[in-house]
Amino acid sequence: MKRTVDLAGLMSDSGCRASDLRRQTSARLELEQRFGSPRSLHLMLAALLSTLLAITAFAQNKPVVLKGGKLLTVSHGTIENGVIVMDDGKITAVGAAKSVSIPKDARIIDVSGMTVYPGLIDSETSLGLTEISAEDSTNDLVELSDEIMPHMHVYDAFHAESELIPVTRVNGITNAIVAPESRDTLPGQDSFIQLDGPSAQEMLMLRDVAMPLNFTGDQRRNRSFESAKFPYTRMGMAAQLRQAFLDAQDYAQRLADYQKKKTDFANKADDKDKKEPPSPPKRDLKLEALLPYLQGQKPIVLAAEGPSDLETAVALAREFNLKFVLNHISHSQPVLDYVAALKAPVIVGPIYEDPEPDERYDAVYSLPAQLYKRGVKIAFASYEAHNVRNLPYQAGYAVAFGLPYDEALKAITLNPAEIWGVADKLGSLDVGKMANLVVANGDPLDVTTDVKQVFIGGREIPMTNRQTRLRDEYGGH
């Protein structure tokens, strides 16, 4: 077994006891055996001290000022020749250069000629749940042992060290919803993440923020005759979902009855004839997971592509008074007025889907514009892990097919922040919000734009990843 060397022991004062000196001498000899001569050891300790000093300096979080850039605030227009001040991980000032006071001790970065905008938010990804699609050991996308799995939590499987996360954030995506794959009707619960942090704990900003309810037909267990099982049809899917919510309602009633009996028992403290205290119902994680949604505390994300699936799923949600956000609806153009009447936000995409045989060539591309014209709040999602970086170009496609530019930008910044309940922290360049922002040399929705720097919580993110390293190593000179 390897022994642990206590480096702090080498720094005690000269008045230490002989036993301490012997212990330190033994530790020094062991270090010399491992790392070479005293000179080598001194060099190693000097390097360690330098690193510690650098960390300490970073921890002081000196104010950082971006000066001279074009600010796309999202919430209050565009500011030419603007200034934005970041301190302690938040935006502390934003405005025109002449109107913002710069702190004396600030580090000033000249971003003249650049465009500065809020970090982008992807409203559905599988980041951290998959690494190599063809290698099962790296995939934790969905639990297929049952179709009703609301007690599955994305945060239990989220892999913060995924190589796909640095690839994603260098193109300006700073936050995302991570969701289970959609092969179950109720596959688990989503988490809202930040794409930087020392560990998964810090990156998981909101756990169990929403629950997908998938009703597209892909959830049927009828892929082959040999393995077919219930639910084999859409009728079966609907019946199974309905039963799950009914069982959860019954579970809630049993919990309420138990709490009442428990209160009544406590109130009879002086009753000599009172019986044994009541026993709680057996805990059921599956039903327990559904309760916040039945009680309207959190939204479900209702995925349906075609008109009939959409209407069936919405009817089911209304039967149990569920709050919902619509998802996909890529091929529901005939019922867009019905969608607008639901007064629910819609996550659109993937915008690169092919049209159905009976649809116009631009049906999917123009859907965001059609929804916006009807007053529907929209957000974009990649539904991806490997190509989340392409999120801004979905918004760019939508602009080409009628969506106003400002609304497209809002659909990957402020709108998703509002939908997921984090608009007080993210989505726009406003004082008090987290300093999640992007510096680029052009329009964020333009594929030719190059992102120069990303800040997450005021920290300058390294603009490197596995792909840039491979490019630099093998790309030639």
Side-chain angles (χ1 to χ4, degrees), residues 135-435:
E135 176 50 57
D136 288 343
S137 65
T138 70
N139 292 314
D140 284 310
L141 291 164
V142 65
E143 178 59 54
L144 290 174
S145 56
D146 195 0
E147 299 78 35
I148 307 294
M149 303 295 279
H151 53 315
M152 299 296 105
H153 305 281
V154 157
Y155 60 77
D156 283 331
F158 178 67
H159 182 60
E161 296 76 27
S162 171
E163 290 281 2
L164 303 178
I165 290 174
V167 172
T168 295
R169 67 190 180 200
V170 297
N171 205 35
I173 293 88
T174 61
N175 298 86
I177 287 285
V178 180
E181 202 175 59
S182 60
R183 284 185 284 168
D184 290 340
T185 46
L186 292 178
Q189 298 184 62
D190 300 348
S191 288
F192 186 87
I193 65 166
Q194 182 126 285
L195 270 63
D196 179 57
S199 71
Q201 301 305 312
E202 288 79 12
M203 293 172 71
L204 289 158
M205 287 184 65
L206 293 173
R207 303 176 179 218
D208 296 341
V209 66
M211 181 178 68
L213 189 160
N214 300 307
F215 202 87
T216 67
D218 290 339
Q219 296 75 35
R220 293 173 295 175
R221 290 336 201 220
N222 64 356
R223 291 178 181 269
S224 72
F225 182 79
E226 292 79 8
S227 63
K229 62 176 184 177
F230 180 78
Y232 190 83
T233 64
R234 283 175 169 81
M235 292 182 291
M237 288 165 52
Q240 189 183 51
L241 285 165
R242 186 173 285 110
Q243 188 62 59
F245 287 117
L246 288 171
D247 290 345
Q249 285 180 334
D250 179 66
Y251 182 68
Q253 185 59 54
R254 283 185 279 132
L255 286 174
D257 292 344
Y258 163 69
Q259 289 297 332
K260 184 176 184 305
K261 291 177 182 178
K262 185 179 177 181
T263 302
D264 291 345
F265 180 84
N267 290 337
K268 295 179 181 178
D270 299 328
D271 188 346
K272 296 179 180 180
D273 298 326
K274 70 178 181 180
K275 302 176 183 179
E276 291 294 318
S279 299
K282 182 180 178 181
R283 192 173 181 189
D284 190 317
L285 293 180
K286 182 180 291 189
L287 299 178
E288 186 177 291
L290 292 173
L291 298 185
Y293 301 94
L294 283 169
Q295 295 162 1
Q297 298 171 11
K298 299 178 181 180
I300 64 166
V301 182
L302 197 160
E305 293 181 351
S308 59
D309 285 350
L310 176 64
E311 291 172 351
T312 299
V314 167
L316 190 66
R318 283 182 161 174
E319 182 179 340
F320 293 96
N321 297 313
L322 303 174
K323 288 170 54 179
F324 57 86
V325 175
L326 294 178
N327 199 6
H328 289 295
I329 71 163
S330 305
H331 306 290
S332 294
Q333 281 81 358
V335 292
L336 291 186
D337 289 338
Y338 165 75
V339 170
L342 296 174
K343 304 295 183 184
V346 174
I347 303 169
V348 292
I351 204 167
Y352 308 117
E353 273 191 31
D354 294 331
E356 294 293 330
D358 60 341
E359 291 179 333
R360 281 175 53 98
Y361 77 96
D362 62 348
V364 180
Y365 298 154
S366 64
L367 178 63
Q370 294 296 324
L371 290 169
Y372 167 72
K373 289 175 182 176
R374 290 169 170 81
V376 177
K377 178 180 290 186
I378 63 170
F380 287 98
S382 65
Y383 306 97
E384 260 274 14
H386 294 85
N387 291 296
V388 180
R389 60 188 172 182
N390 292 329
L391 175 72
Y393 313 136
Q394 293 203 46
Y397 263 74
V399 171
F401 286 85
L403 183 66
Y405 179 89
D406 289 346
E407 294 301 321
L409 184 59
K410 193 181 291 186
I412 49 177
T413 52
L414 189 56
N415 283 1
E418 291 173 348
I419 291 170
W420 306 119
V422 291
D424 60 326
K425 299 179 179 70
L426 300 167
S428 63
L429 302 183
D430 284 298
V431 172
K433 292 195 176 185
M434 293 182 67

